Every structure is written in C-alpha cells, then in structure tokens.
DNA sequence: CGAACTGTTGAGAGGCTTCAAGCCTAGTGG
DNA sequence: CCACTAGGCTTGAAGCCTCTCAACAGTTCG
C-alpha cells in the first residue's frame, strides 16, 4: 500500500493519512515501480491561505496535483481585474500547460484554503507520459474536461445575462464543492470572487444575489450561501 | 516519401499534390510503418462549403485533421445563437475531445470553404497514442494551444468592450489567415459570423466596423476587409 | 479598538441590444 | 444574359442592462 509517507523528499510534516496518493484516479494508473520512482522524486508543498503558487508569466517546471485544499486559477485582464477560470481541488491538475509546451504560465494560481500540492518535476512527468499510456490518457481526459468547460463558459458569457450566469455559477459551485446539511455551500467565497467568476463587477453580482434572496431562492446569512430553491435557480440559469 | 496517393481507401479523386500528409507537423512524428498503417485505415473526406461535418450531441468515432479549407467550430447557445469558438485550418485537429472521453460532441463543425478532412478511426488513433509519444505529445500541445486561447478569450469577453474585442478579433484573423498584397484579409467572413466570434450581435459589430472605417483603420469595399492602420487597431485591442 | 477589507444600496451614465426599415450584392433561374 | 430574390449589410431610435461612482454598514483581524 503506497502512502505519501514513503515520499523521498518529504519537506513538510503536514502529511497525514488524510492525504493518500492512491485516492487520486490519475495515480491509480501507475505501477508500483513507477509510483516508487514518482515518490522518490516529487515534492509535497504546502501553501497557506492566499499565498501565490505561481504567477502569470513565470516559469515553473513541473506538474502540480492538488492533494488538499482549493486552488484559484485566474488571469489578470488589461485593466488589472481578475478573471477566475476555475477552482482546482483534490485530484485536479494545475500547471500542465506550460509543462507540455515549455511556455511561460498564462494563468496565476493562488491557494484559496490551506492547500497541499504534489509537485512532480518535468522530466519525471515526461518519463511517465512516455511509458504509461493510462497515465497520459487520464491527463488528456482532464484536459478535455477543461476544454469542454471553457467552451461552455465562452458561450454562456457571450450570450447570457449576469442573472443567468450568476445562477449557473452558484449551481456549478454546488456541484463541485457540495452543500452541508443546512444546504449551505461548503466553499466560502467572497462576493468579489463570485463576480470575478461570473465575469461582472461586485456590485452587479450583489444586486443579483439580493434578487435571488428576495425571490426566496437563496438565504444569505453572513458570508454563507444557502440554497432554498434549486429548481427555480436551474430554470433561471437556463442550462 | 509518403504521399496520400498511397492511401488505402481513397474515396475521393480530389487528392492532388497540394495535399500532402507530411506537410502536417503531427504526421511528421510517425514512422514509415505507422504512416502506412494510418493511410491504410484512414479516409479522406471532402465537404462542400456550408455542409455540416458533425453536430453538437452527435457521436463521431475518430479524429479529424484538416487537410484543406477552413472549418468553423461553434456552439449553439440557449437562445439558438451561434458562438464561434475557432476556425480550424490545414493541420488543425477537430473532434479529438469526444474521441478521448467517449462523450458526445459538445460543439458543431461546419465547412466554411470547400474542405478536405482526414478521418482517422478511433482505434487507430488510440494505437498511435499508445505507441508513439511524439504523436501524443504533438496532440497534447495542440490541446494546450486551444486551452490557452480559451483562457484568453474568456478573460477578454468578460472584461473588454465590443470595440476592443472586435479590433482584437480582426488582428487574430489577420495572423491566422493572413492578408493579400492589398492588405485585405484572405478569409471572407460575414458580419454575422464576425459578430458570433466577438460575442455580440450583428448590428453592434457593424457599428464598430463603421467606426474603424471612419477612423481610417479599415477599408470595407464590398465584403472585403482591408487593414489600413494595424498599429492603432492593436492599441484599441489593448493586447 | 481601530484599520482595512468586505458587503450593500442608490443614482446616473453609457454601452449594447432590440426592433424596424431600407439598401446592397451575389447567386439563381428563366 | 438579365431580372429577380433571398440573404447580407447598414443605419436610426428607443430602451434596458450593466457599469461606475459614491456613501455607508458590517466584519475581520492584527
């Protein structure tokens, strides 16, 4: 049974049994030997909330896999405004684009929670790609998922109103991060970040959220977002 | 020297020396044997202008590579409006997403010109992926290019004005399809399609184009688009 | 406890869409 | 070859959605 305890260059003492590589579909494709070589060469890095993992325009040679926490992946527009492209969580890959193309990063990534990443150096990833098709295929499927979501998002942002997009984004967050027993979204997100996901300004997003509250679709106690009528939200989102 | 003349199932007589597989970077990665097997199993398909190649929601088992012509890849939004995601031309791949994930197509593709495609059946592509890392890597790099462009486009469409996006899109078309000796865009594109690329309605796009003409940045004789001041356009695009 | 950040609401301006009407042009059929 | 017609192109007017600017309340954290 492989656990990160076997990891060669364990630099952080955070690792415990909550975090197991074999929980992650991608790594299930590896043989015991490959796994051993991987762990011998990879590094587990932890990031405290709000710390930057990499920045647009920087070079980072390797692949990151999220083991724990949430990573915000975003781009800065011409006017300095953030556009959030996705939130990556356990099992998700980040930084693979510049790995494959040897270009500079075209996005930035920031820890949204206290986050633990698995960093695999470029030559190891490339070696695995060469020798293990299952691993490569799994990575390609992940890329496809992102492409599909990008295509959907481009169409939405070009054609839907802020109200529709906001409803849709709330439902996406609900699907990705889940809700607790009180129907409250598990991820805590600021209004500004929600606006930066939806592709609008904070004030507009707040206005729409207030509408949703007045229509009894949401409750908004403090920073929580509680779902009260998912069916109607889905109708508004027009998915 | 491999040419398509060697192709096994040559169903169309269109093939001539203009179209050579070895012109395409992706296929340069294949060995002579792989190339032979590829040509033995693949089909060259031709599509007349405006004919549909595949439709959103359909299943198409295989990979298409554009040999000649231009393919419009788009998505239909909730209101029935097209959002153009990209134009594929010689050497570009289409339809690889559903190939890798075994899902239904999430976009539609239509021949924009008289177009010739190379269709490789799924099992052959998968076989090549397994055995030839160069081929796989080339494909992954292509996917990365699309992801990068998607990320940029999402940020632009969320943050820039129609005027800025229109200028940028014209410059992108100029880079991708080139201009003739009179500085006219080589691709002929309707105002509606331009609007569907930019993510706006036809009327708004036309108004912006008229502005550009009045500011001596463009000439618009008939259906042509002639560039007169690329520098200023670039400034407006705010890249 | 106070500073800095986040959330909220209002008012006003402006960009973009919608609807409507007419012109142009490319392709078709007689 | 020409007339015709459908589809593409263009402009105007009106109104709505969204953004901007501003002020203030609430919250968090050192």
């Amino acid at each position: 049974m492989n656990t990160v305890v076997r990891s060669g260059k364990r630099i952080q003492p955070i690792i415990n049994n909550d975090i197991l590589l074999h929980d992650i579909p991608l790594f299930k494709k590896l043989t015991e030997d490959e796994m051993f070589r991987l762990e011998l060469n990879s590094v587990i890095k932890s990031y405290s909330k709000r710390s930057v993992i990499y920045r647009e325009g920087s070079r980072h040679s390797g692949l990151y896999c999220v083991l724990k926490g949430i990573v915000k992946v975003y781009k800065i527009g011409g006017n300095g405004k953030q556009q959030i492209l996705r939130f990556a969580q356990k099992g998700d890959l980040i930084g693979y684009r510049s790995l494959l193309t040897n270009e500079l990063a075209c996005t930035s990534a920031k820890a949204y929670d206290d986050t633990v990443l698995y960093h695999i150096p470029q030559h190891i990833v490339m070696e695995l790609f060469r020798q293990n098709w299952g691993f490569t295929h799994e990575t390609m499927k992940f890329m496809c998922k992102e492409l599909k979501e990008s295509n959907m998002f481009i169409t939405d942002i070009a054609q839907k109103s802020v109200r529709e997009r906001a409803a849709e984004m709330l439902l996406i967050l609900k699907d990705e991060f889940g809700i607790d027993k009180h129907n409250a979204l598990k991820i805590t997100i600021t209004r500004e970040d929600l606006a930066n996901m939806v592709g609008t300004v904070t004030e507009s997003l707040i206005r729409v959220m207030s509408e949703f509250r007045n229509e009894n679709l949401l409750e908004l106690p403090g920073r929580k977002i509680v779902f009260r009528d998912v069916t109607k939200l889905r109708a508004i989102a027009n998915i």
Side-chain angles (χ1 to χ4, degrees), chain A:
Chain A
M1 184 87 40
N2 281 313
T3 74
V4 276
V5 176
R6 241 172 102 181
S7 178
K9 295 187 184 172
R10 182 148 58 94
I11 55 164
Q12 296 287 351
I14 315 175
I15 313 321
N16 56 41
N17 287 327
D18 291 349
I19 307 173
L20 298 173
L21 286 194
H22 67 228
D23 279 355
I24 291 167
L26 179 65
F27 297 121
K28 281 185 189 156
K29 302 288 176 180
L30 299 182
T31 66
E32 190 124 347
D33 280 355
E34 285 166 348
M35 202 69 188
F36 183 69
R37 180 152 166 71
L38 180 73
E39 292 180 10
L40 205 64
N41 286 281
S42 299
V43 176
I44 288 162
K45 293 185 176 180
S46 61
Y47 296 83
S48 59
K49 199 170 173 170
R50 273 184 290 276
S51 59
V52 173
I53 296 162
Y54 63 81
R55 228 181 276 276
E56 210 168 328
S58 67
R59 186 171 296 284
H60 56 102
S61 59
L63 180 69
Y64 294 95
C65 179
V66 181
L67 296 183
K68 195 171 190 293
I70 296 170
V71 175
K72 173 169 86 171
V73 179
Y74 59 98
K75 232 174 131 64
I76 308 286
N79 43 15
K81 195 171 178 302
Q82 279 186 20
Q83 176 61 42
I84 297 180
L85 298 165
R86 59 185 176 111
F87 283 106
Q89 56 179 333
K90 186 172 180 180
D92 289 342
L93 301 176
I94 60 178
Y96 58 80
R97 205 198 55 83
S98 38
L99 172 93
L100 282 157
T101 59
N102 270 316
E103 291 174 5
L104 302 177
C106 74
T107 57
S108 303
K110 190 182 256 192
Y112 208 65
D113 254 349
D114 290 336
T115 293
V116 181
L117 301 184
Y118 200 60
H119 180 262
I120 315 172
Q122 182 165 26
H123 73 278
I124 298 288
V125 187
M126 289 313 218
E127 193 179 296
L128 289 173
F129 279 157
R130 270 173 203 282
Q131 70 191 33
N132 187 325
W133 163 243
F135 181 82
T136 313
H137 191 194
E138 208 63 31
T139 306
M140 285 174 113
K141 282 197 279 191
F142 186 81
M143 294 167 75
C144 285
K145 182 166 155 276
E146 300 222 309
L147 270 165
K148 180 185 177 183
E149 284 167 2
S150 291
N151 289 342
M152 280 175 34
F153 193 51
I154 287 171
T155 309
D156 282 349
I157 208 166
Q159 299 188 3
K160 286 185 179 176
S161 66
V162 169
R163 182 178 159 92
E164 292 172 293
R165 265 144 52 204
E168 181 171 7
M169 201 53 80
L170 288 170
L171 294 171
I172 289 175
L173 287 173
K174 176 174 163 290
D175 281 350
E176 265 186 50
F177 296 99
I179 49 179
D180 64 18
K181 57 187 174 184
H182 304 298
N183 285 328
L185 205 56
K186 275 188 185 158
I187 183 178
T188 307
I189 182 170
T190 64
R191 300 290 193 260
E192 187 182 358
D193 275 337
L194 246 178
N196 289 344
M197 292 190 76
V198 170
T200 184
V201 293
T202 313
E203 297 95 318
S204 295
L205 187 276
I206 285 173
R207 274 179 244 275
V208 169
M209 298 276 282
S210 300
E211 279 176 34
F212 290 162
R213 188 193 51 210
N214 295 337
E215 296 165 28
N216 289 315
L217 311 177
L218 295 179
E219 280 171 44
L220 302 170
R223 224 152 261 185
K224 280 202 187 313
I225 298 175
V226 180
F227 288 87
R228 290 205 52 188
D229 195 333
V230 174
T231 314
K232 274 191 191 153
L233 270 180
R234 203 166 280 140
I236 291 168
N238 192 17
I239 312 179

